[in-house]
């Protein structure tokens, strides 16, 4: 123990700075990240990645993860979207500490319930001279746009209402004239610099930015004002979002400056691409997380796959549990280049995770998929045995639907042309005929007696290895690389096996 009168250890300049900062604003020290989707009806895989990276960072640093609904676009509201987004995130293992469904100290968490706050800050900006009401009609804006395009210029607001005398403008506002509020972009051009956690130093000239609308004519804020106000008031330490928002950062940095607030750190995530390197789109395949869930992808596999879309772990490894991802994730290892969504790799991962499930767990996860098949009412013990036999062969949970007919139909149809081709070969017929003869006279045919009978067939025909086992496998499982033959024979029993062998001989 230190003697009480000992002089305190001198602080290094950085430690002192941190302590002072902490005293000034305790929230600066806490890690708080948010996921802020718009209620569009489904969770896009890009959204899942944004949520995942933010969540991983928050969990890794003992911080908080906040769900905020960005529902200020009244034309794009989809009923039930909020509950669906939350349900889908929870399915993926991403839980939040604060949100519209559970509250928290920084609510409300729906932007439509925070309108007064945005309007208050917009008024402040107008009073400060950093924003102004704009009365330009949609017709004038359309004409301006057309003129600029005709001249080959990028369409951009020309600052028409910026020149209005403030008192005259507020009178027009007071009389109820339709208007929006626009923020002023600096009159003296300036280069704004962002130290992005993924992209490094990014610089954009303010001349590339127009006087952005921050409050629409319906009184709702645009994304630009709402995101800044909310990230500040919700004490967000890191703003993680898609690369498509990168060009907006100058507007946001200016708003932080006008409002006198410290911006959070930013991490702009790379695009997710189709295999042809175009932006991931619905046209080329699934993009909704709900679709992957409904097709029988495991949350563990989808999350693992999504984590590797842009993030590369320190070691050459591909399979991670969620808690391993929490231990390893960092923005430093997120690439700037777009990440290709490779469905084959997702399938491979799903198969790996499926194979590693305990049989009971696998069965529970298959249950809703079995329920969608005509075999929903099959005996549960039998279904459990089937699960055990086919687990290693499933790519998705939905694949169970294509596996059940072999087990549950009296006379499953043999359709696989490769199998039919093999069964029609002379050697195959010899094996099957010999086996049939011995099996018919044996008391039973199951996983244990099969090798004994096969041995007799081998001695009698001189055929062994693949020449012996492939026809058996083909006849009984209708596949050449099917599930464990002994398990299948055990489930079928003697009568069904004999029926299948006779059917194979007739093909
Ligand atoms: N609502 C925006 C979106 O869905 C959020 C962007 C952000 O995270 O700031 O893309």
């Amino acid at each position: 123990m230190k003697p009480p009168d000992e002089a305190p250890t001198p602080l290094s300049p950085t430690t002192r700075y941190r302590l002072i900062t902490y005293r000034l604003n305790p929230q600066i020290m806490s890690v708080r990240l948010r996921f802020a989707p718009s209620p569009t009806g489904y969770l896009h895989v890009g959204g899942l990645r944004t949520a995942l990276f933010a969540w991983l960072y928050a969990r890794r640093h003992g911080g908080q993860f906040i769900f905020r609904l960005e529902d200020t676009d009244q034309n794009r509201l989809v009923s039930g979207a909020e509950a669906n987004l939350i349900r889908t995130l929870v399915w993926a293992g991403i839980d939040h500490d604060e949100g519209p469904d559970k509250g928290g100290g920084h609510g409300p968490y729906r932007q439509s319930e925070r309108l007064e706050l945005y309007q208050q800050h917009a008024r402040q900006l107008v009073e400060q001279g950093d924003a102004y009401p704009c009365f330009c009609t949609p017709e004038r804006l359309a004409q301006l746009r057309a003129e600029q395009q005709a001249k080959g210029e990028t369409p951009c607001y020309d600052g028409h209402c910026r020149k209005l005398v403030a008192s005259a403008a507020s009178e027009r506002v007071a009389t109820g004239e339709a208007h929006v509020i626009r923020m002023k972009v600096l009159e003296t051009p300036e280069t704004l610099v962002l130290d992005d956690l993924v992209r490094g130093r990014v610089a954009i000239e303010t001349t590339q930015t127009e006087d952005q609308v921050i409050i629409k004519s319906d009184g709702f804020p645009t994304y630009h004002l709402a995101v800044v106000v909310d990230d500040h008031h919700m004490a967000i330490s890191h703003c993680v979002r898609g690369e498509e928002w990168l060009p907006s950062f100058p507007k946001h940095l200016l708003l932080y400056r006008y409002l006198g607030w410290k911006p959070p750190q930013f991490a702009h995530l790379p695009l997710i691409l189709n295999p042809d390197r175009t932006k991931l789109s619905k046209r080329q395949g699934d993009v909704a997380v709900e679709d992957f869930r409904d097709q029988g992808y495991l949350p563990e596999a989808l999350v693992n796959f999504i984590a590797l879309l842009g993030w590369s772990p320190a070691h050459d490894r591909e399979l991670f549990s969620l808690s391993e991802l929490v231990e390893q994730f960092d923005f430093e290892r997120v690439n700037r280049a777009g990440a290709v969504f490779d469905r084959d790799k997702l399938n491979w991962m799903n198969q790996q995770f499926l194979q590693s499930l305990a049989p009971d767990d696998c069965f529970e996860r298959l249950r809703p998929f079995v329920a969608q098949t005509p075999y929903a009412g099959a005996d549960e013990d039998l279904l459990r045995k089937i699960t055990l036999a086919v687990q290693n062969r499933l790519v998705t949970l939905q694949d169970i639907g294509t596996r059940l007919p072999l087990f549950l139909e009296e006379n499953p149809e043999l359709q696989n042309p490769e199998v039919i081709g093999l069964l029609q070969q002379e050697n195959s017929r010899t094996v099957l005929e010999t086996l049939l003869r011995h099996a018919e006279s044996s008391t039973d045919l199951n996983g244990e007696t099969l090798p004994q009978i096969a041995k007799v067939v081998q001695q009698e025909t001189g055929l062994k290895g693949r020449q012996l086992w492939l026809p058996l496998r083909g006849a009984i499982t209708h596949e050449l690389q099917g599930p464990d033959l002994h398990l299948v024979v055990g489930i079928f029993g003697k009568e069904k096996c004999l029926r299948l062998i006779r059917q194979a001989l007739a093909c």
Side-chain angles (χ1 to χ4, degrees):
M1 246 182 55
K2 282 185 190 173
D5 54 351
E6 193 186 309
T9 327
L11 295 172
S12 75
T14 45
T15 328
R16 187 172 306 152
Y17 172 75
R18 283 210 200 102
L19 283 179
I20 292 166
T21 316
Y22 182 72
R23 283 203 201 100
L24 286 178
N25 183 355
Q27 285 169 337
I28 274 178
M29 299 298 278
S30 62
V31 169
R32 288 174 57 84
L33 291 94
R34 78 329 187 254
F35 176 52
S38 305
T40 52
Y42 66 94
L43 178 58
H44 192 282
V45 286
L48 177 60
R49 190 196 48 183
T50 304
L52 176 66
F53 285 12
W55 181 87
L56 289 173
Y57 193 86
R59 292 293 174 254
R60 177 165 186 197
H61 296 279
Q64 272 106 44
F65 180 67
I66 294 107
F67 180 98
R68 179 174 78 221
L69 193 72
E70 301 212 327
D71 58 348
T72 57
D73 188 345
Q74 293 296 290
N75 301 320
R76 289 175 66 206
L77 296 184
V78 177
S79 79
E82 175 190 307
N84 177 59
L85 284 164
I86 292 177
R87 198 170 44 245
T88 311
L89 286 172
V90 168
W91 171 81
I94 301 177
D95 58 336
H96 53 278
D97 307 299
E98 299 169 27
D101 58 330
K102 51 172 67 160
H106 299 73
Y109 293 91
R110 290 183 197 103
Q111 289 188 328
S112 58
E113 294 169 12
R114 301 168 67 81
L115 297 184
E116 183 43 43
L117 188 63
Y118 309 125
Q119 280 158 6
Q120 183 191 318
H121 287 299
R123 278 197 298 274
Q124 177 193 343
L125 290 169
V126 173
E127 278 159 25
Q128 287 173 194
D130 292 320
Y132 58 92
C134 168
F135 305 93
C136 290
T137 58
E139 293 73 29
R140 176 177 189 272
L141 295 176
Q143 196 189 340
L144 175 66
R145 170 179 293 266
E147 284 166 12
Q148 288 169 333
Q149 278 169 337
K151 283 191 252 165
E153 293 169 5
T154 315
C156 169
Y157 183 62
D158 60 356
H160 183 260
C161 291
R162 188 199 257 245
K163 297 171 214 124
L164 297 174
V165 178
S167 55
S170 38
E171 252 170 57
R172 287 171 71 178
V173 169
T175 60
E177 188 173 337
H179 67 282
V180 300
I181 307 268
R182 290 184 184 269
M183 66 181 281
K184 283 187 189 167
V185 175
L186 296 169
E187 280 166 68
T188 326
E190 192 183 324
T191 309
L192 289 176
V193 175
L194 178 75
D195 282 313
D196 190 85
L197 292 171
V198 173
R199 318 231 16 132
R201 183 154 282 208
V202 192
I204 300 190
E205 302 291 327
T206 50
T207 46
Q208 291 182 24
T209 303
E210 64 180 342
D211 281 0
Q212 171 69 48
V213 175
I214 53 173
I215 298 276
K216 296 178 278 184
S217 56
D218 62 2
F220 278 72
T222 58
Y223 165 69
H224 304 284
L225 179 65
V227 73
V228 167
V229 168
D230 287 345
D231 283 351
H232 171 76
H233 282 286
M234 293 183 180
I236 298 302
S237 60
H238 299 72
C239 166
V240 183
R241 60 188 181 186
E243 191 184 278
E244 65 274 19
W245 295 113
L246 190 62
S248 301
F249 88 77
K251 296 169 190 172
H252 302 170
L253 288 193
L254 284 179
L255 284 172
Y256 277 106
R257 187 193 289 178
Y258 295 160
L259 292 163
W261 298 335
K262 184 182 184 303
Q265 302 225 55
F266 285 89
H268 286 94
L269 305 182
L271 291 177
I272 303 182
L273 307 173
N274 292 307
D276 66 2
R277 303 200 72 82
T278 53
K279 193 175 167 196
L280 187 71
S281 65
K282 230 176 182 172
R283 246 180 323 115
Q284 293 202 28
D286 302 299
V287 292
V289 173
E290 295 84 341
D291 288 343
F292 289 98
R293 179 194 61 203
D294 296 347
Q295 286 163 21
Y297 287 90
L298 301 180
E300 297 93 321
L302 188 64
V303 160
N304 188 155
F305 173 74
I306 296 274
L308 296 182
L309 285 178
W311 173 72
S312 23
H315 305 290
D316 198 13
R317 188 180 145 189
E318 297 203 283
L319 298 176
F320 295 89
S321 67
L322 203 52
S323 52
E324 287 168 331
L325 289 172
V326 170
E327 274 164 35
Q328 302 207 19
F329 179 78
D330 210 332
F331 289 111
E332 266 170 32
R333 301 194 67 87
V334 176
N335 312 313
R336 294 175 200 188
V340 173
F341 194 97
D342 176 354
R343 187 76 178 227
D344 291 339
K345 187 164 172 183
L346 171 61
N347 285 342
W348 173 79
M349 274 187 186
N350 205 54
Q351 192 164 17
Q352 301 304 308
F353 276 94
L354 258 170
Q355 286 177 1
S356 66
L357 292 179
D360 283 347
D361 188 8
C362 185
F363 179 74
E364 288 310 323
R365 300 207 202 199
L366 284 169
R367 210 188 265 277
F369 292 87
V370 173
Q372 291 167 20
T373 71
Y375 310 102
D379 176 71
E380 181 159 328
D381 275 350
L382 179 57
L383 284 171
R384 283 182 186 276
K385 285 184 190 149
I386 297 171
T387 301
L388 210 53
V390 302
Q391 182 174 351
N392 282 349
R393 309 294 310 165
L394 301 175
V395 174
T396 66
L397 295 168
Q398 202 175 45
D399 285 350
I400 192 70
T402 60
R403 298 275 165 185
L404 291 179
L406 177 78
F407 292 90
L408 298 173
E409 290 293 331
E410 278 288 287
N411 292 301
E413 209 181 326
L414 173 54
Q415 286 170 324
N416 184 332
E418 201 192 346
V419 176
I420 295 175
L422 177 104
L423 293 176
Q424 286 171 341
Q425 289 171 18
E426 195 52 42
N427 281 344
S428 303
R429 307 191 80 79
T430 310
V431 165
L432 293 179
E433 275 160 8
T434 317
L435 185 104
L436 188 61
R437 196 158 23 87
H438 288 287
E440 271 169 343
S441 58
S442 76
T443 45
D444 201 2
L445 185 57
N446 55 39
E448 276 126 55
T449 56
L450 178 71
Q452 297 156 13
I453 301 176
K455 195 155 184 81
V456 176
V457 175
Q458 179 187 328
Q459 282 159 358
E460 211 169 291
T461 62
L463 296 166
K464 57 184 182 182
R466 289 168 61 82
Q467 286 190 315
L468 173 70
W469 286 104
L470 272 190
L472 291 183
R473 173 175 286 290
I476 295 172
T477 68
H478 291 178
E479 277 186 276
L480 299 183
Q481 289 136 355
D484 186 301
L485 186 58
H486 299 87
L487 286 180
V488 178
V489 168
I491 295 171
F492 286 173
K494 180 174 167 182
E495 284 320 308
K496 182 161 177 177
C497 284
L498 296 188
R499 238 186 358 262
L500 288 167
I501 293 170
R502 284 190 203 104
Q503 181 198 41
L505 281 168
C507 76

